[in-house]
Amino acid sequence: MNIHTDSTADTLTFIGGGNMAEALIRGLLAQGRIAARQLRVTDINPDRRAFFEETYGISTSPDNAQAVAEATAVVLAVKPQQLATVLRDLAGHWTEGQLVVSIAAGVTTARIEAELPATVRVVRVMPNTPALVGRGVHAIAPGTRATADDTERVAAWLGASGQVVHVTEAQMDAVTAVSGSGPAYVFYLMEAMQAAAESLGLEPRMARDLIIGTVDGAAALWQASPDQSAADLRARVTSKGGTTAAAIAVLDNAHVQQHWVQAVQAAHQRAQELAQAT
Ligand SMILES: NC(=O)c1ccc[n+]([C@@H]2O[C@H](COP(=O)([O-])OP(=O)(O)OC[C@H]3O[C@@H](n4cnc5c(N)ncnc54)[C@H](OP(=O)(O)O)[C@@H]3O)[C@@H](O)[C@H]2O)c1
């Protein structure tokens, strides 16, 4: 095993045991790179602590400071709005050489580094929820003090629950809008497809199978066609005067693509606002 990504000596503390912490932890445990005894989860919610103990056999605590003191690496996994309080409460509890991984949307690395001693390094990550089934897309950007080894170490952990894409800090808000929030856009499309299928008399279960298979297959087809754009592939299933053309005409008349672009831009703007506010 590569010495840089050998995690057997690590103790990873997750501050905040929410959905995303669970997705990352599930991947780490499934991969076997890190054992449950090397993980800690803190959460203010006792139900979430009980959940992690019962489901994953991970020790939990309501005490962030104590859990940080025991860790070689700390994943900041609370909501962006909760992060300022968490960092303020942790002042004075950091240890030289610790690595901090932030997954908080819209919180800059500079903002986090400003709350930490100079000997603590930061790597910023934007994950997404398909990590729960090992199919996440994780964007990763090193902080100003992070080394290549740090990035490699975090990439190895994240690789357990999806693919890793290396980006710059400056790209993070755009990545947040595209892939961080992205699964919700796809679910939104699938919700509409489900309603449409049921309006046409299909059983809900059958509609679900048709929609999942279609979205999965279309993504796989694009993946297998590196020289084709999504527009090229769409054109190939849109015969003039045919059924698909009838559907696309309705979407075009309603300017759905333009609205979709505006929606992703709104997510980007919100990420920038969060960066200002936190
Ligand atoms: N979910 C996504 O799709 C997604 C995608 C990319 C990035 N992210 C980022 O991932 C982070 C976590 O998101 P999430 O969806 O997992 O959020 P979440 O489900 O709300 O998880 C956060 C957990 O932390 C707990 N908490 C709040 N304050 C705390 C404190 N002071 N100490 C310890 N625990 C505390 C919360 O408890 P309460 O609920 O009682 O407040 C909650 O259980 C966010 O920063 C988000 O920007 C999420």
Side-chain angles (χ1 to χ4, degrees), residues 11-248:
T11 303
L12 244 78
T13 287
F14 283 75
I15 305 289
N19 295 315
M20 195 47 76
E22 188 193 352
L24 299 178
I25 284 171
R26 194 188 286 191
L28 283 168
L29 293 176
Q31 187 200 45
R33 185 182 286 275
I34 288 190
R37 66 179 158 71
Q38 294 175 268
L39 297 170
R40 311 270 180 280
V41 173
T42 71
D43 205 292
I44 50 174
N45 181 344
D47 293 343
R48 287 305 290 174
R49 297 200 299 273
F51 171 79
F52 276 96
E53 286 180 12
E54 285 158 20
T55 313
Y56 298 105
I58 293 172
S59 74
T60 69
S61 167
D63 186 343
N64 290 342
Q66 190 199 348
V68 161
E70 292 170 355
T72 55
V74 175
V75 182
L76 300 172
V78 292
K79 286 236 152 43
Q81 299 86 336
Q82 298 160 336
L83 193 57
T85 313
V86 164
L87 286 172
R88 198 179 55 233
D89 293 347
L90 285 173
H93 295 282
W94 299 99
T95 311
E96 183 173 340
Q98 280 177 319
L99 178 62
V100 170
V101 180
S102 170
I103 65 169
V107 184
T108 63
T109 305
R111 168 76 184 79
I112 297 165
E113 285 175 342
E115 300 287 335
L116 300 172
T119 54
V120 173
R121 306 177 312 273
V122 178
V123 171
R124 185 172 168 196
V125 170
M126 180 45 54
N128 72 10
T129 49
L132 271 168
V133 290
R135 297 278 302 273
V137 176
H138 305 302
I140 177 169
T144 59
R145 306 194 283 251
T147 64
D149 278 4
D150 293 334
T151 316
E152 195 182 333
R153 203 166 144 210
V154 175
W157 292 334
L158 296 172
S161 54
Q163 56 172 299
V164 175
V165 179
H166 292 269
V167 304
T168 64
E169 172 82 21
Q171 293 170 318
M172 269 297 184
D173 289 340
V175 167
T176 301
V178 173
S179 59
S181 301
Y185 314 148
V186 178
F187 291 128
Y188 190 84
L189 168 69
M190 293 197 290
E191 276 175 65
M193 292 283 287
Q194 178 87 25
E198 290 181 34
S199 80
L200 299 172
L202 296 180
E203 295 293 326
R205 186 79 208 178
M206 179 195 284
R208 181 180 188 273
D209 290 346
L210 291 170
I211 294 161
I212 291 171
T214 301
V215 170
D216 194 33
L221 179 59
W222 195 13
Q223 177 84 296
S225 317
D227 299 330
Q228 312 257 345
S229 66
D232 293 335
L233 294 173
R234 176 163 66 82
R236 273 171 42 186
V237 286
T238 314
S239 323
K240 203 166 172 208
T243 55
T244 313
I248 298 293

